[in-house]
């Protein structure tokens, strides 16, 4: 442990999952902030957190907090992370990192100016099975990677007023679900050299389904599918000339995978053994980076988070989705 003291900004479902995993990992969770004292008190009691603040401003001003996990809805990530950075706190910001690339670049520059860590909470990248997959790729086991595919498809509420369907809250499949397979493709193949996207929009103007076909350096092709209106396999594959990796349901959570030769022989099978949901691995990574005085990790540097937001911007331009708040905060 580095001795970092964690604060959590907001008290929604993902904040609860993160708090639970911090407790499982024995990390130092000292404060929570909400827009109401009642909500902060309830969350603090649930997770045995010493201090409950009735505003985000009070949380970031807490001298006993070193790093803040930002778990508000997408349109608020930028202003909430900025609030914490301006108060001298490191930040771990829920994915998608911001609404768009402009907001992400602003946080990148501010963190660099202040000498602070700003990191996207793409927790999947830090899970043990993903660490092992990167090792296998680096070893050359797969040969030349020719194709990557992944889906993130769930049957979620269809109420137009629900956060997931409200454009003013960054709703739609892309930021909530599509960020996972698109970040995965970036992780394996790097930046796309070409993007083609199609989508089905709902009555609110939000995207319910988004599919992408992207090309990458060397000619590799990736495909992703995201849906908030139907549950699919939620599996992923990395296909190389000498072997492939098949990642089982649910590929973006602790799971199993197999390395399979062209003749069907399984040469490795990996089974995840993870306590809790697995969100603690990103917290450990953040703590190590701060302890080492490093502002850009190699698993997901902020420059890559910024570039991925640019990919999402390109996809939205093709499918005709724009968020009402864009243009307000450096968008």
């Amino acid at each position: 442990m580095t001795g970092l003291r964690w604060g959590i900004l907001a008290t929604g479902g993902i904040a609860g999952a993160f708090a639970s995993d911090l407790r499982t990992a024995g990390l130092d969770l000292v404060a929570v902030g909400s827009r109401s004292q009642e909500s902060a008190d309830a969350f603090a009691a649930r997770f045995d957190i010493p201090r409950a603040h009735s505003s985000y401003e009070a949380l970031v001003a807490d001298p006993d907090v070193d790093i803040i996990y930002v778990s508000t809805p997408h349109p608020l990530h930028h202003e909430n992370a900025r609030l914490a950075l301006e108060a001298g706190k490191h930040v771990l910001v829920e994915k998608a990192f911001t609404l768009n690339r402009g907001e992400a670049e602003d946080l990148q520059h501010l963190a660099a100016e202040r000498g602070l860590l700003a990191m996207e909470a793409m927790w999947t990248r830090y899970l043990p099975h993903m660490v092992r997959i990167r090792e296998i790729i680096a070893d050359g086991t797969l040969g030349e990677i020719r194709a990557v595919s992944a889906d993130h498809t769930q049957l979620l509420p269809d109420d137009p007023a629900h956060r997931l369907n409200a454009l003013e809250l960054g709703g739609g499949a892309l930021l909530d679900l599509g960020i996972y397979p698109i970040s995965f493709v970036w992780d394996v193949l790097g930046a796309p050299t070409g993007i083609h996207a199609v989508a089905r929009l709902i009555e609110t103007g939000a995207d319910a389904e988004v599919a992408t076909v992207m090309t990458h350096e060397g000619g590799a092709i990736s495909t992703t599918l995201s849906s908030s209106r139907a549950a699919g396999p939620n599996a992923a594959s990395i296909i190389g000339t000498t072997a492939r990796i098949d990642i089982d349901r649910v590929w973006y959570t602790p799971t199993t995978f197999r390395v399979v030769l062209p003749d069907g022989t399984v040469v490795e099978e990996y089974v995840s053994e993870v306590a809790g949901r697995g969100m603690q691995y990103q917290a450990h990574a953040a703590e190590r980076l701060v302890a080492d005085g490093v502002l850009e990790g190699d698993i997901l540097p902020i420059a890559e988070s910024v570039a991925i937001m640019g990919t999402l911007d390109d996809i939205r331009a093709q499918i005709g989705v724009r968020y009402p708040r864009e243009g307000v905060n450096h968008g």
Side-chain angles (χ1 to χ4, degrees), residues 71-124:
S71 64
T72 43
H74 307 304
L76 300 177
H77 288 179
H78 172 259
E79 65 180 80
N80 296 154
R82 199 170 221 289
L83 181 72
L85 289 168
E86 288 175 339
K89 312 299 186 185
H90 305 287
V91 290
L92 176 65
V93 185
E94 251 312 309
K95 43 63 195 133
F97 191 53
T98 52
L99 269 188
N100 54 43
R101 180 168 184 146
E103 291 185 351
E105 287 177 335
D106 181 63
L107 294 183
Q108 178 187 27
H109 296 152
L110 179 59
E113 289 171 4
R114 301 299 176 92
L116 296 167
L117 176 72
M119 179 174 141
E120 182 182 10
M122 177 44 72
W123 61 292
T124 298

Side-chain angles (χ1 to χ4, degrees), residues 88-228:
K89 312 299 186 185
H90 305 287
V91 290
L92 176 65
V93 185
E94 251 312 309
K95 43 63 195 133
F97 191 53
T98 52
L99 269 188
N100 54 43
R101 180 168 184 146
E103 291 185 351
E105 287 177 335
D106 181 63
L107 294 183
Q108 178 187 27
H109 296 152
L110 179 59
E113 289 171 4
R114 301 299 176 92
L116 296 167
L117 176 72
M119 179 174 141
E120 182 182 10
M122 177 44 72
W123 61 292
T124 298
R125 289 215 186 185
Y126 301 89
L127 293 173
H129 76 282
M130 289 304 304
V131 173
R132 177 58 188 145
I133 284 170
R134 283 191 290 271
E135 291 173 348
I136 292 168
I137 293 170
D139 287 344
T141 302
L142 305 187
E144 179 190 357
I145 297 177
R146 304 287 295 180
V148 174
S149 65
D151 80 301
H152 188 174
T153 47
Q154 297 188 41
L155 181 59
L156 299 175
D158 60 4
D159 178 1
H162 193 283
R163 177 189 69 82
L164 292 165
N165 304 311
L167 273 184
E168 63 272 19
L169 296 177
L174 187 64
L175 290 194
D176 265 278
L177 309 178
I179 180 64
Y180 283 89
I182 289 166
S183 184
F184 172 69
V185 164
W186 263 84
D187 194 9
V188 177
L189 294 175
T193 56
I195 301 170
H196 178 66
V198 295
R200 178 185 297 178
L201 306 185
I202 58 175
E203 62 273 18
T204 64
D207 47 292
E209 278 92 25
V210 182
T212 69
V213 178
M214 297 188 283
T215 53
H216 302 262
E217 186 177 353
I221 294 174
S222 67
T223 59
T224 75
L225 173 64
S226 304
S227 174
S228 61

Side-chain angles (χ1 to χ4, degrees), residues 264-322:
T265 301
V266 176
V267 294
E268 179 175 338
E269 184 164 5
Y270 185 96
V271 179
S272 292
E273 296 181 0
V274 171
R277 192 169 188 251
M279 298 181 78
Q280 66 270 31
Y281 294 97
Q282 63 183 348
H284 281 300
E287 293 208 356
R288 284 192 298 270
L289 291 172
V290 172
D292 293 341
V294 177
L295 300 182
E296 292 263 359
D298 58 347
I299 291 179
L300 182 55
I302 190 171
E304 186 169 331
S305 291
V306 169
I308 289 171
M309 291 312 307
T311 295
L312 298 185
D313 288 351
D314 290 343
I315 291 168
R316 288 195 296 114
Q318 291 188 31
I319 65 176
V321 171
R322 180 174 176 81

Side-chain angles (χ1 to χ4, degrees), residues 5-7 23 28-32 49-52 62 64-66:
R5 298 164 297 180
W6 287 85
R23 285 288 181 237
D28 197 8
L29 175 54
V30 301
V32 62
I49 301 171
R51 286 185 299 288
D62 189 330
D64 293 325
V65 172
D66 304 307

